[in-house]
Amino acid sequence: MSLVSPPSASLALQQALIACRQATLDQVHPLGDRLYYRQAHPDFSPIGWHLGHIGFTEELWLLRHCAGLSPQQPHYHRLYAADGLPKQQREQLPSLSDTCTYLQQIRQQVLQYLPQAPLQDQARLWEFILQHESQHSETMAIVEALHQRSTLYRAHPAASTPLNPETIKIPAGAFLQGNSNENALDNEQPAFLNHLDEYHIDRYPVTCGQYRRFIEMGGYDNPDYWSTAGWQFIRDHHLSQPLYWPEADGSEFDHYPVCGVSWYEANAYANFVGKRLPTEAEWEKAASWNPQQHRHQPYPWGTEFPQTYHCNHHRWMGGITPVHAYSDSCSPWGLEDMLGNVWEWTSTPFQSYQGFEFFPYSGYSQTYFDGQHYVLRGGSWTTRPWTLRNSFRNWYSPQVREPFAGFRLCQR
């Protein structure tokens, strides 16, 4: 086996790393000190910590583990390691300028090493690093939204066009769930055949217009719709609407997906309308299985890497768009808005697939196989294309409302 990666693979990875990093720099450079250093929520580190952690993780795995180099800033280990300082102690940070210099120094060495790297053996790790930066960029976007508290909903021509809110039947049968390709994170692997009974799933995520009826009909005041834990949560926190709810009456956003709801709120709304959240298997089959070709496809629209015309992602629209704004990119079954815009809660606790092996370290996914987290699918308006695919699994605790998350519903 050659110890040097094929030029085409090396070049493609180099281009992806450069594009991803430029997007990160474009995201953080407009921020002032208040947004860079300060913690916006007890569960989320400051934006500046995430930026430094991106560089630290790249150095740890590519330069130290693979290239055998010594750390550039040994004292950064405690500051930027995920298991280092508690989140509440992460506000004392190097400046934005110093952190960017650190990232650039790491990146220069990484790009020097890349042409010599044995990608046949390391490709999965390089893919992980690329996606790790993408994931932390989304967390930084969440922190930014918590600081700014401005509307996430963006004007769009589709806002005034009618919806076709039908429920779509998915016949019984087997499909390929998961992902065994090199870009798959550990919790997506291995792919396996899964058989599902017939079910029906909504064409669109639940919209603000639909959710407004739940609010106006007293959904937040009626314990009949809520689990015991959910009811206790909304009472303790005095909740009466989603976190990112449109200002004023917001009727111009009736065709946009609701965003900023916890799993508890999504489940309560499902009870209100007599439906349920889909399992993650039901969600993935509806997004990825092509019944005509009897095969799995990585994106609802097929195999083409995500572009601006496929869905709302990578911050190209600057916020949330209507659920039918990308009707040409529906899944083979006719479901719309399955990737990008808002994440979608499922009813499935986050657990491993049979045959799971952690990578590159046990704390990445395995720590969260605790029965206390639920799977989200689909990505959001800020998700980068390298982490946008039908098989990608996100996870959060049921009380968390800060991610850009909504949901769609299902029934037998």
Side-chain angles (χ1 to χ4, degrees), residues 112-173:
Q112 289 171 359
Y113 171 63
L114 175 57
Q116 308 159 30
L119 288 187
Q120 298 94 333
D121 301 322
Q122 295 179 4
R124 192 177 171 198
L125 183 59
W126 287 81
E127 290 280 357
F128 171 81
I129 293 300
L130 178 65
Q131 294 181 69
H132 176 268
E133 179 165 346
S134 298
Q135 289 175 280
H136 278 274
S137 76
E138 177 140 359
T139 306
M140 290 192 290
I142 293 171
V143 177
E144 183 179 353
L146 294 175
H147 277 304
Q148 302 282 35
R149 296 290 182 171
S150 57
T151 181
L152 295 177
Y153 294 89
R154 296 294 180 261
H156 194 280
S160 59
T161 60
L163 297 178
N164 177 22
E166 67 175 311
T167 297
I168 295 173
K169 181 176 76 171
I170 309 294

Side-chain angles (χ1 to χ4, degrees), residues 262-264 345 368 370 372-374 376 395-401 403:
S262 65
W263 185 92
Y264 290 139
W345 286 105
Y368 302 95
D370 56 6
Q372 303 301 312
H373 297 77
Y374 284 89
L376 300 96
W395 66 91
Y396 277 102
S397 301
Q399 74 276 7
V400 174
R401 313 172 79 221

Side-chain angles (χ1 to χ4, degrees), residues 253-328:
F253 300 117
D254 277 357
H255 291 170
Y256 291 64
V258 66
C259 180
V261 292
S262 65
W263 185 92
Y264 290 139
E265 289 164 286
N267 191 60
Y269 178 88
N271 292 332
F272 171 71
V273 297
K275 294 185 178 182
R276 61 178 176 82
L277 295 174
T279 65
E280 68 166 321
E282 290 170 332
W283 190 98
E284 186 170 341
K285 182 178 181 180
S288 69
W289 190 247
N290 190 313
Q292 287 77 36
Q293 301 176 9
H294 301 285
R295 66 174 179 85
H296 169 276
Q297 54 191 48
Y299 311 107
W301 55 85
T303 59
E304 185 182 6
F305 190 71
Q307 305 295 326
T308 56
Y309 49 80
H310 285 133
C311 64
N312 178 15
H313 70 292
H314 207 7
R315 303 173 70 92
W316 277 317
M317 299 300 295
I320 300 168
T321 51
V323 296
H324 56 332
Y326 297 85
S327 57
D328 291 338

Side-chain angles (χ1 to χ4, degrees), residues 6 48 84 88 105 141 150 164 173 202 319 344 360 374 394 399 401 405 410:
Q88 294 77 10
Q105 292 170 343
S150 57
N164 177 22
D202 290 353
E344 298 181 21
Y374 284 89
N394 196 357
Q399 74 276 7
R401 313 172 79 221
C410 193

Side-chain angles (χ1 to χ4, degrees), residues 127-274:
E127 290 280 357
F128 171 81
I129 293 300
L130 178 65
Q131 294 181 69
H132 176 268
E133 179 165 346
S134 298
Q135 289 175 280
H136 278 274
S137 76
E138 177 140 359
T139 306
M140 290 192 290
I142 293 171
V143 177
E144 183 179 353
L146 294 175
H147 277 304
Q148 302 282 35
R149 296 290 182 171
S150 57
T151 181
L152 295 177
Y153 294 89
R154 296 294 180 261
H156 194 280
S160 59
T161 60
L163 297 178
N164 177 22
E166 67 175 311
T167 297
I168 295 173
K169 181 176 76 171
I170 309 294
F175 78 106
L176 188 67
Q177 182 173 339
N179 182 0
S180 293
N181 296 329
E182 287 180 337
N183 71 332
L185 300 178
D186 62 1
N187 59 69
E188 297 174 70
Q189 300 192 43
F192 61 98
L193 281 177
N194 193 359
H195 183 279
L196 297 179
D197 294 333
E198 178 184 296
Y199 62 99
H200 295 77
I201 187 167
D202 290 353
R203 177 183 293 274
Y204 307 117
V206 170
T207 64
C208 289
Q210 292 171 318
Y211 200 88
R212 181 178 293 104
R213 181 170 175 268
F214 173 65
I215 296 173
E216 293 173 348
M217 295 290 289
Y220 280 88
D221 299 312
N222 189 338
D224 292 344
Y225 303 131
W226 300 81
S227 65
T228 301
W231 182 247
Q232 186 67 48
F233 173 72
I234 67 160
R235 294 293 95 186
D236 289 346
H237 293 82
H238 310 289
L239 302 183
S240 60
Q241 64 184 34
L243 179 60
Y244 303 119
W245 191 241
E247 298 296 328
D249 73 358
S251 58
E252 68 269 34
F253 300 117
D254 277 357
H255 291 170
Y256 291 64
V258 66
C259 180
V261 292
S262 65
W263 185 92
Y264 290 139
E265 289 164 286
N267 191 60
Y269 178 88
N271 292 332
F272 171 71
V273 297

